[in-house]
């Protein structure tokens, strides 16, 4: 276990250094979410207000979820790149915990997630988002980062099967849109066709967005936390286990 | 060779296929501790597949392989403590500097930060990479990458090192530098399995050669033993008077098909057969010679002869 933690941190630090040397990564992590935020806010605010929704309060959690999924996609890219460069093979020939590479990747991505999270939250507050209390701020940040971690683990798996880094990103972008659009992020459950409603209501991205909103006073933390926590820990463990397995068999 | 501690690597009847491609077809050989073994074979012979089995990257369909008595499949994690792999393609992080790469691999081998940094420094010096130490690996030349790649395998001392085609794609100067590196490692007492497509390289670097072709061992022995495998020896005769070249050739006709080289002024019988020298001299009576010699065929000639056989002996 000590080596798992140590190797995860060492590999995590490595991916942070990599991102730092690629200014495009940092800029896109910072700028893209803000761009989405601005566009949705400008286009949709009045429509939502007409329906009685306070968009400044509802939108930031959606943008956060989107940014985390988006950050996760880079994980697919880098896992595939390491595999094809032979680096993964070298790591596989070394004595290390088989889960360390995928966990290291995901832990390193936390920095990127954080870089996205801060501007969204700040701009959110500027346009009118309010947190319940200090605990709400901490909860909001922790859940956002936990979601980023799980998204990165899941997307990283794609890197183990894709035939190239670009291919990995293409595949990773496929679950990204449906998961995000078929959630309560952009519309309430009742606005979806009846057969889709159960999926929209119970899928993990909805659970995360609902919990993030609860931390801003839109909803109840007590009822949303268990669902989100179950999804995040369940998928987190599943993806980490699959990631370890994929590393073991990577070629 | 003195018997010290017995084989450190044992390979028994290892077979592996990728779909319908048979990459290894029952390969067995052993490597003594401290030995440099050249695994020689043309492209597609199965060298990389063999190295991948030994370095726990690939579970073979059949057979087994042991490193220091540990099974590479059942006891893979023990084996990983004992080996280091430098694969066919440099496995480094291009975005990190040379120094950072070495520290990364040192840390992953459980060295403390200080220890890993110190070790990186030593290796950079040893592999003449000090000047490039703080440049990104992406900007390195092929030879530098290769040296760093090997250095990354040496951050901690493992008894067994696998080098898969360490000089493929390098210019002659970088290749010569790499040979120096391998010789120094040999002198350190490492057990090395080195794959190569070049005979000269196997001849230069290894004490023993295993020739692989179509996934089978087709020959095995010291470079000298392999040269003998080609059977007879070539006899080269050089007359004082170049006008007598034809006369020499007809005198040698009973021993094979003489080849006349007017530029050098020699007549060669490629396969004179053992013990032919004295009767050749008798046949050449009356012709003054500057030189008469028997030579082994080159390893090149042997290699072509062995690997031409579709399925080996
Ligand atoms: N991953 C793979 N999938 C399919 N065929 C492979 C794979 N790896 C190697 N082969 C095939 O197995 C044979 C041996 O390959 P390899 O061990 O790489 O040879 P070498 O290293 O001697 O050039 C070749 O015919 C090669 O095409
Ligand atoms: Mg090869």
């Amino acid at each position: 276990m000590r080596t798992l933690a140590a190797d995860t941190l060492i590999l995590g630090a490595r991916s942070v250094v990599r991102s730092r040397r690629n200014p495009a990564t940092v800029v896109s992590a910072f700028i893209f979410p803000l761009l989405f935020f601005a566009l949705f806010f400008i286009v949709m605010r009045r429509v939502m207000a007409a329906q009685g929704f306070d968009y400044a309060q509802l939108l930031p959690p959606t943008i956060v979820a989107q940014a985390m999924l988006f950050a996760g996609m880079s994980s697919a890219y880098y896992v595939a790149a390491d595999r094809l460069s032979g680096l993964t093979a070298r790591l596989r020939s070394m004595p290390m915990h088989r889960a360390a590479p995928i966990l290291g990747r995901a832990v390193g991505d936390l920095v990127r997630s954080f870089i996205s999270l801060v501007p969204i939250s700040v701009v959110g507050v500027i346009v009118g988002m309010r947190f319940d209390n200090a605990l709400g701020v901490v909860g909001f940040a922790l859940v956002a980062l936990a979601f980023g971690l799980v998204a990165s683990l899941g997307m990283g798996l794609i890197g183990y099967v894709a035939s190239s880094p670009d291919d990995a990103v293409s595949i990773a972008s496929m679950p990204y849109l449906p998961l995000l659009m078929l959630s309560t992020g952009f519309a309430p459950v009742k606005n979806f066709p009846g057969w889709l409603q159960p999926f929209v209501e119970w899928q993990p991205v909805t659970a995360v967005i609902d919990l993030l909103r609860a931390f801003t006073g839109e909803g109840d933390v007590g009822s949303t936390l268990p669902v989100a926590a179950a999804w995040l820990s369940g998928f987190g463990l599943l993806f980490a286990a699959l990631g370890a397995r994929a590393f073991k068999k990577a070629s | 060779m003195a018997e010290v501690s017995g084989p450190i690597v044992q390979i028994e009847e290892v077979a592996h296929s990728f779909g319908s491609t048979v990459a290894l077809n029952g390969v067995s050989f052993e490597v003594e501790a401290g030995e440099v073994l050249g695994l020689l074979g043309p492209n597609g012979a199965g060298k990389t597949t063999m190295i991948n089995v030994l370095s726990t990257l690939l579970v073979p369909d059949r057979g087994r392989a042991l490193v220091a008595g540990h099974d590479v499949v059942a006891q893979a994690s023990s084996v990983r403590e004992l080996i280091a792999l430098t694969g066919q393609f440099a496995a480094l992080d291009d975005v990190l500097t040379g120094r950072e790469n070495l520290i990364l691999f040192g840390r992953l081998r459980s060295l403390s930060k200080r220890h890993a940094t110190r070790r990186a420094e030593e290796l950079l010096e040893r592999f003449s990479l000090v000047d490039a130490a703080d440049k990104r690996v992406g900007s390195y030349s092929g030879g530098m990458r290769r040296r760093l790649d090997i250095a990354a395998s040496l951050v901690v001392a493992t008894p067994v090192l696998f080098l898969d085609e360490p000089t493929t794609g390098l210019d002659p100067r970088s290749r010569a530098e790499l040979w120096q590196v391998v010789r120094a490692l040999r002198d350190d007492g490492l057990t090395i399995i080195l794959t190569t497509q070049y005979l000269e390289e196997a001849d230069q670097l290894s004490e023993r050669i295993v020739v692989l072709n179509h996934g089978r061992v087709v020959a095995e022995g010291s470079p000298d033993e392999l040269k003998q495998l080609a059977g007879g020896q070539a006899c080269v005769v050089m007359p004082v008077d170049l006008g007598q070249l034809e006369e020499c050739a007809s005198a040698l006709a009973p021993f094979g098909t003489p080849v006349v080289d007017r530029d050098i002024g020699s007549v060669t019988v490629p396969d004179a057969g053992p013990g032919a020298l004295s009767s050749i001299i008798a046949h050449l009576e009356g012709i003054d010679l500057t030189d008469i010699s028997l030579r082994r065929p080159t390893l090149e000639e042997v290699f072509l002869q062995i690997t031409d056989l579709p399925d080996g002996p």
Side-chain angles (χ1 to χ4, degrees):
Chain A
M1 262 349 232
R2 204 202 72 79
T3 66
L4 174 59
D7 291 344
T8 297
L9 290 179
I10 292 162
L11 289 171
R14 167 207 170 219
S15 57
V16 172
V17 172
R18 283 181 68 102
S19 324
R20 213 174 53 209
R21 297 209 178 139
N22 183 0
T25 321
V26 181
V27 170
S28 74
F30 193 88
I31 300 285
F32 266 129
L34 284 185
L35 203 62
F36 278 110
F37 195 153
L39 291 174
F40 275 107
F41 196 68
I42 291 165
V43 173
M44 299 292 292
R45 184 168 57 110
R46 286 188 185 81
V47 178
M48 298 304 274
Q51 296 189 26
F53 293 115
D54 178 1
Y55 213 38
Q57 201 73 344
L58 289 182
L59 185 60
T62 308
I63 301 296
V64 166
Q66 188 226 15
M68 298 302 131
L69 285 172
F70 196 73
M73 278 160 63
S74 72
S75 163
Y77 181 93
Y78 286 115
V79 169
D82 277 354
R83 204 184 91 235
L84 296 167
S85 77
L87 197 80
T88 300
R90 168 170 254 146
L91 296 181
R92 286 178 63 223
S93 76
M94 288 168 52
M96 72 165 61
H97 197 288
R98 306 286 100 176
I102 192 121
L103 286 175
R105 180 77 247 160
V107 167
D109 279 346
L110 282 177
V111 173
R112 201 189 143 114
S113 300
F114 190 74
I115 291 174
S116 298
L117 180 60
V118 170
I120 301 170
S121 310
V122 168
V123 172
V125 168
I126 291 173
V127 299
M129 178 175 73
R130 290 295 169 261
F131 292 99
D132 251 4
N133 47 40
L135 215 62
V137 178
V138 174
F140 189 89
L142 285 183
V143 170
L145 293 178
F147 181 56
L149 190 80
V150 176
S152 171
L153 286 173
M155 300 284 197
L157 290 177
I158 295 166
Y160 279 118
V161 293
S163 59
S164 73
D166 291 332
D167 196 32
V169 173
S170 313
I171 299 173
S173 64
M174 280 187 237
Y176 160 75
L177 263 188
L179 276 176
L180 191 69
M181 300 310 288
L182 304 182
S183 76
T184 51
F186 294 105
V189 174
K190 65 173 167 43
N191 286 22
F192 288 89
W195 59 273
L196 259 178
Q197 286 183 10
F199 175 79
V200 174
E201 189 171 359
W202 292 106
Q203 66 120 328
V205 177
T206 291
V208 168
I209 290 176
D210 285 354
L211 178 56
L212 289 172
R213 282 178 179 156
F215 284 122
T216 67
E218 300 282 324
D220 170 35
V221 175
S223 64
T224 48
L225 182 65
V227 185
W231 276 131
L232 289 176
S233 52
F235 273 112
L237 288 173
L238 176 71
F239 290 157
L242 290 176
R245 212 179 108 99
F247 176 73
K248 218 181 276 182
K249 298 187 184 270
S251 59
Chain B
M1 197 188 300
E3 274 189 24
V4 250
S5 44
I8 190 165
V9 176
Q10 292 162 281
I11 297 157
E12 293 165 11
E13 288 298 318
V14 168
H16 193 78
S17 300
F18 297 100
S20 60
T21 308
V22 179
L24 294 176
N25 194 357
V27 171
S28 305
F29 63 90
E30 293 186 343
V31 188
E32 300 295 320
E35 185 178 35
V36 179
L37 182 110
L39 193 56
L40 174 66
N43 208 357
K47 303 181 296 296
T48 297
T49 307
M50 191 66 245
I51 295 294
N52 286 349
V53 169
L54 289 174
S55 44
T56 77
L57 300 184
L58 184 71
V59 175
D61 295 342
R62 281 191 293 111
R64 63 177 197 152
L66 308 178
V67 176
H70 302 285
D71 189 294
V72 296
V73 177
Q75 295 158 295
S77 37
S78 316
V79 171
R80 291 185 193 117
E81 302 278 354
L82 300 168
I83 61 161
L85 165 69
T86 304
Q88 188 164 353
F89 304 100
L92 300 161
D93 188 327
D94 275 0
V95 178
L96 301 185
T97 66
R99 187 194 308 278
E100 287 167 340
N101 267 282
L102 294 178
I103 294 175
L104 171 69
F105 291 115
R107 301 278 284 132
L108 290 173
R109 289 271 190 182
S110 302
L111 298 185
S112 70
K113 205 170 211 162
R114 259 191 50 217
H115 198 165
T117 308
R118 185 148 29 93
R119 184 65 184 142
E121 196 60 50
E122 285 167 17
L123 288 166
L124 289 166
E125 256 167 54
R126 173 166 182 184
F127 288 86
S128 318
L129 289 166
V130 173
D131 292 340
D134 297 310
K135 296 201 177 93
R136 290 191 194 184
V137 171
S139 69
Y140 279 25
S141 71
M144 288 158 71
R145 289 175 76 89
R146 219 52 235 200
R147 293 206 303 274
L148 184 67
D149 202 27
I150 294 181
S153 292
L154 302 173
V155 285
V156 299
T158 57
V160 181
L161 176 64
F162 303 122
L163 298 175
D164 195 3
E165 300 204 22
T167 66
T168 298
L170 295 188
D171 57 76
R173 210 189 110 207
S174 308
R175 174 174 301 178
E177 283 171 2
L178 241 121
W179 284 6
Q180 286 309 322
V181 165
V182 175
R183 289 195 184 104
L185 295 175
R186 181 181 61 192
D187 295 343
D188 286 353
L190 256 73
T191 306
I192 301 174
I193 297 185
L194 160 126
T195 80
T196 179
Q197 299 187 37
Y198 310 112
L199 291 151
E200 194 198 352
E201 186 161 286
D203 194 7
Q204 287 278 332
L205 298 179
S206 46
E207 287 137 17
R208 217 153 49 80
I209 299 176
V210 167
V211 184
L212 208 58
N213 197 34
H214 299 293
R216 282 171 177 277
V217 175
V218 293
E220 180 177 354
S222 68
D224 277 348
E225 283 167 350
L226 284 188
K227 289 174 194 170
Q228 260 165 359
L229 266 185
Q233 296 181 311
C235 181
V236 186
V237 174
M238 302 179 98
V240 174
D241 178 1
L242 292 189
Q244 291 188 300
L245 277 173
E246 292 306 331
E247 207 176 318
C248 282
S250 44
L252 292 177
F255 300 96
T257 317
V259 180
V260 177
D261 187 330
R262 288 187 190 286
D263 295 333
I264 299 174
S266 70
V267 181
T268 305
V269 184
D271 188 1
L277 192 56
S278 50
S279 34
I280 286 178
I281 292 172
H283 274 75
L284 289 172
E285 239 188 58
I287 302 175
D288 285 336
L289 303 175
T290 57
D291 192 24
I292 178 165
S293 59
L294 288 176
R295 68 162 174 81
R296 296 248 173 88
T298 63
L299 206 46
E300 198 81 44
E301 290 163 341
V302 179
F303 186 61
L304 289 175
Q305 201 172 323
I306 300 167
T307 53
D308 265 354
L309 310 173
D311 247 351

